[in-house]
Amino acid sequence: MIPVLAIDGPSGSGKGAVGMGVAERLGWHYLDSGAVYRALGLAALWAQVPCDDEPRLCALAAALDLRFVREAGAAEPSVYVNGRECATALRGPEAADAASRVAALPGVRQALLDRQRAARRPPGLVADGRDMGSHVFPDAFLKVFLTASPEVRAERRYSQLKAKGFSVNLPQLIQEIRERDERDANRAVAPLKPAQGAVVFDSSALGLQDVIDRVLAMVGDSP
């Protein structure tokens, strides 16, 4: 069985940076499941499909063309959604909000399930998201749930967006994060919550490398 390490948590908890760092250190593949939902959210915005139109969103999900292309020497990969380069837009607030809304629809989650599970390839996979350990990879050998206070997560998100050139407002980000937490935690399918057996810890006062080292230590302790 190909091993999977599942890292879940709310927006801004650091799971993406931690997941990438751990995958790099282990030499494993990496799945950013949030990027899949963001890509669908962008595709819906471009096609002017409402984020509550489940049948049309499921059709978009089935036809979604999502590709990550890392050029030599590039710090981050280029991202193509339906042939359109959108690495910056994919990390923007519009994509984040659309992703949270489309992810609440059961049909959409089912339509994207096989795409996420197909990322499981040798020698192993580090998968981050909101339901990696509870729903997508319930047999993951290690499940981690990262969290942090809404204020800390908003500050991290603020810094990321400012660095990418977005105009953002910190109090508004705090409010949006709280609203998204509530929406994600109360959706009918695969709500945001620690998976059974997950190791839960707060990253509010920890640096990125500290969290990566702690997760790698847990990998070392796992069978």
PDB file of all heavy atoms in Angstrom, residues 6 10 48 51-52 56-58 108-109 133 145 152 172 174 206 210 216:
ATOM      1  N   ALA A   6      -1.711  12.631   5.780  1.00  0.00           N
ATOM      2  CA  ALA A   6      -2.785  13.603   5.595  1.00  0.00           C
ATOM      3  C   ALA A   6      -2.615  14.771   6.558  1.00  0.00           C
ATOM      4  O   ALA A   6      -2.471  14.568   7.766  1.00  0.00           O
ATOM      5  CB  ALA A   6      -4.140  12.945   5.822  1.00  0.00           C
ATOM      6  N   PRO A  10      -7.855  24.452   8.885  1.00  0.00           N
ATOM      7  CA  PRO A  10      -8.534  25.590   8.275  1.00  0.00           C
ATOM      8  C   PRO A  10      -7.577  26.466   7.482  1.00  0.00           C
ATOM      9  O   PRO A  10      -6.352  26.309   7.547  1.00  0.00           O
ATOM     10  CB  PRO A  10      -9.102  26.345   9.482  1.00  0.00           C
ATOM     11  CG  PRO A  10      -8.139  26.031  10.586  1.00  0.00           C
ATOM     12  CD  PRO A  10      -7.710  24.618  10.347  1.00  0.00           C
ATOM     13  N   GLN A  48     -19.254  32.058 -15.530  1.00  0.00           N
ATOM     14  CA  GLN A  48     -20.435  32.710 -14.939  1.00  0.00           C
ATOM     15  C   GLN A  48     -21.465  31.669 -14.463  1.00  0.00           C
ATOM     16  O   GLN A  48     -22.674  31.834 -14.639  1.00  0.00           O
ATOM     17  CB  GLN A  48     -21.072  33.682 -15.931  1.00  0.00           C
ATOM     18  CG  GLN A  48     -20.140  34.832 -16.304  1.00  0.00           C
ATOM     19  CD  GLN A  48     -20.786  35.860 -17.205  1.00  0.00           C
ATOM     20  OE1 GLN A  48     -21.632  35.534 -18.040  1.00  0.00           O
ATOM     21  NE2 GLN A  48     -20.391  37.108 -17.056  1.00  0.00           N
ATOM     22  N   CYS A  51     -22.171  29.657  -7.815  1.00  0.00           N
ATOM     23  CA  CYS A  51     -21.520  28.689  -6.941  1.00  0.00           C
ATOM     24  C   CYS A  51     -22.503  27.807  -6.175  1.00  0.00           C
ATOM     25  O   CYS A  51     -22.075  27.008  -5.329  1.00  0.00           O
ATOM     26  CB  CYS A  51     -20.589  29.413  -5.961  1.00  0.00           C
ATOM     27  SG  CYS A  51     -19.100  30.053  -6.760  1.00  0.00           S
ATOM     28  N   ASP A  52     -23.787  27.927  -6.459  1.00  0.00           N
ATOM     29  CA  ASP A  52     -24.770  27.014  -5.874  1.00  0.00           C
ATOM     30  C   ASP A  52     -25.489  26.196  -6.945  1.00  0.00           C
ATOM     31  O   ASP A  52     -26.442  25.478  -6.640  1.00  0.00           O
ATOM     32  CB  ASP A  52     -25.786  27.783  -5.024  1.00  0.00           C
ATOM     33  CG  ASP A  52     -26.555  28.829  -5.831  1.00  0.00           C
ATOM     34  OD1 ASP A  52     -26.232  29.023  -7.030  1.00  0.00           O
ATOM     35  OD2 ASP A  52     -27.475  29.446  -5.269  1.00  0.00           O
ATOM     36  N   ARG A  56     -24.418  22.140 -12.935  1.00  0.00           N
ATOM     37  CA  ARG A  56     -23.457  22.752 -13.862  1.00  0.00           C
ATOM     38  C   ARG A  56     -22.045  22.711 -13.285  1.00  0.00           C
ATOM     39  O   ARG A  56     -21.068  22.534 -14.011  1.00  0.00           O
ATOM     40  CB  ARG A  56     -23.874  24.185 -14.188  1.00  0.00           C
ATOM     41  CG  ARG A  56     -25.150  24.286 -14.996  1.00  0.00           C
ATOM     42  CD  ARG A  56     -25.573  25.727 -15.199  1.00  0.00           C
ATOM     43  NE  ARG A  56     -24.623  26.461 -16.054  1.00  0.00           N
ATOM     44  CZ  ARG A  56     -24.667  27.778 -16.221  1.00  0.00           C
ATOM     45  NH1 ARG A  56     -25.579  28.504 -15.582  1.00  0.00           N
ATOM     46  NH2 ARG A  56     -23.795  28.369 -17.012  1.00  0.00           N
ATOM     47  N   LEU A  57     -21.918  22.857 -11.972  1.00  0.00           N
ATOM     48  CA  LEU A  57     -20.603  22.773 -11.342  1.00  0.00           C
ATOM     49  C   LEU A  57     -20.034  21.363 -11.453  1.00  0.00           C
ATOM     50  O   LEU A  57     -18.821  21.191 -11.666  1.00  0.00           O
ATOM     51  CB  LEU A  57     -20.688  23.197  -9.876  1.00  0.00           C
ATOM     52  CG  LEU A  57     -20.902  24.688  -9.629  1.00  0.00           C
ATOM     53  CD1 LEU A  57     -21.251  24.934  -8.172  1.00  0.00           C
ATOM     54  CD2 LEU A  57     -19.645  25.484 -10.016  1.00  0.00           C
ATOM     55  N   CYS A  58     -20.883  20.358 -11.318  1.00  0.00           N
ATOM     56  CA  CYS A  58     -20.417  18.975 -11.461  1.00  0.00           C
ATOM     57  C   CYS A  58     -19.916  18.728 -12.881  1.00  0.00           C
ATOM     58  O   CYS A  58     -18.922  18.020 -13.083  1.00  0.00           O
ATOM     59  CB  CYS A  58     -21.540  17.994 -11.118  1.00  0.00           C
ATOM     60  SG  CYS A  58     -21.917  17.915  -9.346  1.00  0.00           S
ATOM     61  N   VAL A 108     -20.267  18.032  -6.081  1.00  0.00           N
ATOM     62  CA  VAL A 108     -18.957  18.552  -6.480  1.00  0.00           C
ATOM     63  C   VAL A 108     -17.846  17.774  -5.794  1.00  0.00           C
ATOM     64  O   VAL A 108     -16.852  17.385  -6.412  1.00  0.00           O
ATOM     65  CB  VAL A 108     -18.846  20.053  -6.160  1.00  0.00           C
ATOM     66  CG1 VAL A 108     -17.411  20.539  -6.296  1.00  0.00           C
ATOM     67  CG2 VAL A 108     -19.769  20.867  -7.065  1.00  0.00           C
ATOM     68  N   ARG A 109     -18.001  17.525  -4.508  1.00  0.00           N
ATOM     69  CA  ARG A 109     -16.966  16.786  -3.771  1.00  0.00           C
ATOM     70  C   ARG A 109     -16.807  15.383  -4.350  1.00  0.00           C
ATOM     71  O   ARG A 109     -15.690  14.876  -4.480  1.00  0.00           O
ATOM     72  CB  ARG A 109     -17.321  16.719  -2.286  1.00  0.00           C
ATOM     73  CG  ARG A 109     -17.466  18.084  -1.631  1.00  0.00           C
ATOM     74  CD  ARG A 109     -17.397  17.998  -0.114  1.00  0.00           C
ATOM     75  NE  ARG A 109     -16.033  17.688   0.314  1.00  0.00           N
ATOM     76  CZ  ARG A 109     -15.069  18.592   0.472  1.00  0.00           C
ATOM     77  NH1 ARG A 109     -15.303  19.863   0.230  1.00  0.00           N
ATOM     78  NH2 ARG A 109     -13.875  18.230   0.866  1.00  0.00           N
ATOM     79  N   GLY A 133      -7.741  13.340   5.766  1.00  0.00           N
ATOM     80  CA  GLY A 133      -7.698  12.195   6.670  1.00  0.00           C
ATOM     81  C   GLY A 133      -9.052  11.611   6.992  1.00  0.00           C
ATOM     82  O   GLY A 133      -9.176  10.419   7.262  1.00  0.00           O
ATOM     83  N   PHE A 145      -3.802  17.421  12.158  1.00  0.00           N
ATOM     84  CA  PHE A 145      -4.755  18.531  12.031  1.00  0.00           C
ATOM     85  C   PHE A 145      -4.101  19.773  12.617  1.00  0.00           C
ATOM     86  O   PHE A 145      -3.871  19.863  13.820  1.00  0.00           O
ATOM     87  CB  PHE A 145      -6.062  18.221  12.764  1.00  0.00           C
ATOM     88  CG  PHE A 145      -7.161  19.204  12.459  1.00  0.00           C
ATOM     89  CD1 PHE A 145      -8.036  18.990  11.400  1.00  0.00           C
ATOM     90  CD2 PHE A 145      -7.327  20.341  13.236  1.00  0.00           C
ATOM     91  CE1 PHE A 145      -9.051  19.887  11.116  1.00  0.00           C
ATOM     92  CE2 PHE A 145      -8.336  21.255  12.962  1.00  0.00           C
ATOM     93  CZ  PHE A 145      -9.206  21.030  11.899  1.00  0.00           C
ATOM     94  N   VAL A 152      -4.239  35.046  13.949  1.00  0.00           N
ATOM     95  CA  VAL A 152      -2.942  34.639  13.415  1.00  0.00           C
ATOM     96  C   VAL A 152      -3.077  34.181  11.970  1.00  0.00           C
ATOM     97  O   VAL A 152      -2.261  34.523  11.098  1.00  0.00           O
ATOM     98  CB  VAL A 152      -2.326  33.514  14.276  1.00  0.00           C
ATOM     99  CG1 VAL A 152      -1.129  32.870  13.562  1.00  0.00           C
ATOM    100  CG2 VAL A 152      -1.892  34.066  15.629  1.00  0.00           C
ATOM    101  N   GLN A 172     -11.147  42.754   7.602  1.00  0.00           N
ATOM    102  CA  GLN A 172     -12.044  42.037   6.699  1.00  0.00           C
ATOM    103  C   GLN A 172     -11.609  40.584   6.534  1.00  0.00           C
ATOM    104  O   GLN A 172     -12.449  39.674   6.497  1.00  0.00           O
ATOM    105  CB  GLN A 172     -12.076  42.720   5.338  1.00  0.00           C
ATOM    106  CG  GLN A 172     -13.031  42.059   4.341  1.00  0.00           C
ATOM    107  CD  GLN A 172     -13.043  42.777   3.008  1.00  0.00           C
ATOM    108  OE1 GLN A 172     -12.574  43.909   2.884  1.00  0.00           O
ATOM    109  NE2 GLN A 172     -13.577  42.124   1.995  1.00  0.00           N
ATOM    110  N   ILE A 174     -10.047  38.754   8.765  1.00  0.00           N
ATOM    111  CA  ILE A 174     -10.414  38.039   9.994  1.00  0.00           C
ATOM    112  C   ILE A 174     -11.872  37.615   9.926  1.00  0.00           C
ATOM    113  O   ILE A 174     -12.225  36.464  10.243  1.00  0.00           O
ATOM    114  CB  ILE A 174     -10.158  38.917  11.237  1.00  0.00           C
ATOM    115  CG1 ILE A 174      -8.658  39.171  11.413  1.00  0.00           C
ATOM    116  CG2 ILE A 174     -10.720  38.239  12.491  1.00  0.00           C
ATOM    117  CD1 ILE A 174      -8.323  40.156  12.526  1.00  0.00           C
ATOM    118  N   LEU A 206       4.233  28.887  16.453  1.00  0.00           N
ATOM    119  CA  LEU A 206       5.332  28.112  15.888  1.00  0.00           C
ATOM    120  C   LEU A 206       5.741  28.645  14.526  1.00  0.00           C
ATOM    121  O   LEU A 206       4.903  29.075  13.730  1.00  0.00           O
ATOM    122  CB  LEU A 206       4.924  26.641  15.741  1.00  0.00           C
ATOM    123  CG  LEU A 206       4.586  25.897  17.026  1.00  0.00           C
ATOM    124  CD1 LEU A 206       4.052  24.510  16.699  1.00  0.00           C
ATOM    125  CD2 LEU A 206       5.821  25.793  17.919  1.00  0.00           C
ATOM    126  N   ASP A 210       9.624  24.794  12.479  1.00  0.00           N
ATOM    127  CA  ASP A 210       9.292  24.061  13.708  1.00  0.00           C
ATOM    128  C   ASP A 210       8.184  23.048  13.446  1.00  0.00           C
ATOM    129  O   ASP A 210       8.245  21.905  13.918  1.00  0.00           O
ATOM    130  CB  ASP A 210       8.840  25.035  14.802  1.00  0.00           C
ATOM    131  CG  ASP A 210       9.966  25.920  15.289  1.00  0.00           C
ATOM    132  OD1 ASP A 210      11.115  25.449  15.296  1.00  0.00           O
ATOM    133  OD2 ASP A 210       9.689  27.075  15.673  1.00  0.00           O
ATOM    134  N   LEU A 216       7.700  15.693  10.748  1.00  0.00           N
ATOM    135  CA  LEU A 216       8.683  14.687  10.347  1.00  0.00           C
ATOM    136  C   LEU A 216       9.040  13.768  11.511  1.00  0.00           C
ATOM    137  O   LEU A 216       9.257  12.566  11.315  1.00  0.00           O
ATOM    138  CB  LEU A 216       9.948  15.375   9.817  1.00  0.00           C
ATOM    139  CG  LEU A 216       9.815  15.998   8.420  1.00  0.00           C
ATOM    140  CD1 LEU A 216      11.016  16.872   8.120  1.00  0.00           C
ATOM    141  CD2 LEU A 216       9.667  14.911   7.352  1.00  0.00           C
TER     142      LEU A 216
END
